[in-house]
Amino acid sequence: AAGQKLLGSAGGSKPLAMSFFEKLTKRAQQVDSLLCVGLDPHRSELEEDSAEAAFRFCQRLIEETKDLAAAFKPNCAFFEVYGAKGWEALERTLRLIPEEIPIVLDAKRGDIGSTSEAYAQSAFHTLRCDSVTASPYLGGDGLQPFLKDASKGVWVLCKTSNPGSQDLQALQLPGGEPLYLHVAQLCEQWAKEHKNAGLVVGATDVEAMRKIRAKAPDVWFLSPGIGAQGGDLAAALGAGLRSDGLGMLLPISRGISKAESPRKAAEAFRAEMNACRASG
């Protein structure tokens, strides 16, 4: 079955779920892409202000880009704004995504352990997503529920792409390093059992990205900020790519959804990313 592999054991072969980052790596190599298509149905971009219009918006994006995307990233907020009908639209949207394409649920969860257990159940079992974004602010016990299943991943906010990220994330610790580097190191410790934590590292702060990559050479980055937020693609890839040319997933939302042809926009982004990878 898709998403499974067979491992031999003393008792014979048995199915073992592919780890999240194995699934992501396989997909990225299969379609030669680091492009993550954002599914962000902003009200201003919809044909009408309704949950059904949000679903149709995402349906079109998925249909036009599903053979180019390494992953899809639906943002919960744009569905939740429509209440129960919005949640249903999110569930319908997720069912359109082919099983082999990883899903990043952009929900930025994080709470005390028992509440995080419910959030993890919601993301991974109710919605059947492969990964979710989460905040490290409550510490390791707040993230553990998301890390228990090796086949699921969590993208931990480390150095985000917004200007306000400097307010807290860049604070200097007594040892002199910024808080975001400490977060990166902690995440590797928290996820040491399954190695299923990635880091959200915005493409708008290339110097911070370079420092994080030096501290975490093997970790996958989810790097928003290219396109509408003005991040420099070549500079970001130069700072964040691993030595194998992987290790970065680059979400593009409005840069694709607002284009006359989302497919052509996605093709252009993928080609530009791959040109930078080849020249690096």
Side-chain angles (χ1 to χ4, degrees):
Q4 291 192 328
K5 60 180 180 179
L6 292 176
L7 289 188
S9 67
S13 295
K14 63 178 182 179
L16 182 71
M18 184 183 294
S19 79
F20 170 67
F21 285 108
E22 285 174 339
K23 180 175 181 176
L24 178 58
T25 298
K26 180 179 179 181
R27 176 65 185 177
Q29 292 173 331
Q30 183 181 43
V31 292
D32 194 20
S33 178
L34 300 179
L35 174 64
C36 176
V37 176
L39 302 175
D40 297 359
H42 290 263
R43 280 177 154 167
S44 61
E45 291 189 55
L46 303 182
E47 296 170 347
E48 61 179 33
D49 190 6
S50 71
E52 182 60 30
F55 169 74
R56 290 197 302 268
F57 172 94
C58 295
Q59 183 180 37
R60 180 190 180 212
L61 287 177
I62 292 167
E63 190 58 39
E64 294 209 20
T65 65
K66 63 185 179 184
D67 61 331
L68 303 167
F72 283 105
K73 184 175 75 67
N75 191 311
C76 283
F78 298 110
F79 297 92
E80 290 174 1
V81 74
Y82 292 112
K85 289 183 178 179
W87 190 261
E88 183 186 2
L90 173 60
E91 290 182 311
R92 291 167 62 205
T93 295
L94 294 171
R95 287 197 292 269
L96 294 176
I97 298 173
E99 186 180 351
E100 68 272 14
I101 305 179
I103 299 172
V104 178
L105 184 68
D106 197 355
K108 299 180 178 69
R109 302 302 194 200
D111 211 311
I112 64 168
S114 59
T115 310
S116 281
E117 286 276 4
Y119 277 139
Q121 183 78 15
S122 170
F124 297 149
H125 300 287
T126 305
L127 294 176
R128 302 181 69 182
C129 293
D130 301 286
S131 68
V132 64
T133 57
S135 169
Y137 202 71
L138 276 79
D141 58 343
L143 288 179
Q144 278 310 311
F146 299 102
L147 295 165
K148 290 195 296 190
D149 184 344
S151 71
K152 305 298 183 182
V154 59
W155 300 94
V156 180
L157 303 179
C158 181
K159 182 63 171 70
T160 54
S161 58
N162 58 308
S165 67
Q166 295 295 115
D167 296 347
L168 292 175
Q169 297 163 25
L171 288 176
Q172 280 207 337
L173 299 182
E177 71 175 9
L179 180 59
Y180 62 78
L181 282 185
H182 187 60
V183 168
Q185 291 171 303
L186 279 176
C187 285
E188 288 202 88
Q189 295 173 27
W190 294 336
K192 63 184 177 183
E193 183 179 0
H194 299 305
K195 294 182 170 49
N196 55 340
L199 298 172
V200 178
V201 181
T204 51
D205 190 340
V206 170
E207 192 52 45
M209 180 180 283
R210 189 173 287 112
K211 291 176 182 176
I212 297 166
R213 178 53 78 203
K215 287 280 188 182
D218 301 321
V219 173
W220 273 85
F221 292 172
L222 180 68
S223 297
I226 301 299
Q229 293 185 59
D232 184 317
L233 178 59
L237 287 169
L241 278 177
R242 296 189 316 214
S243 57
D244 62 359
L246 297 169
M248 287 183 78
L249 192 57
L250 294 130
I252 310 284
S253 300
R254 287 166 286 180
I256 292 174
S257 65
K258 285 190 167 186
E260 185 176 342
S261 168
R263 178 173 184 80
K264 287 182 179 177
E267 286 176 333
F269 276 117
R270 184 182 69 163
E272 188 179 356
M273 290 173 192
N274 286 346
C276 292
R277 292 166 73 196
S279 64

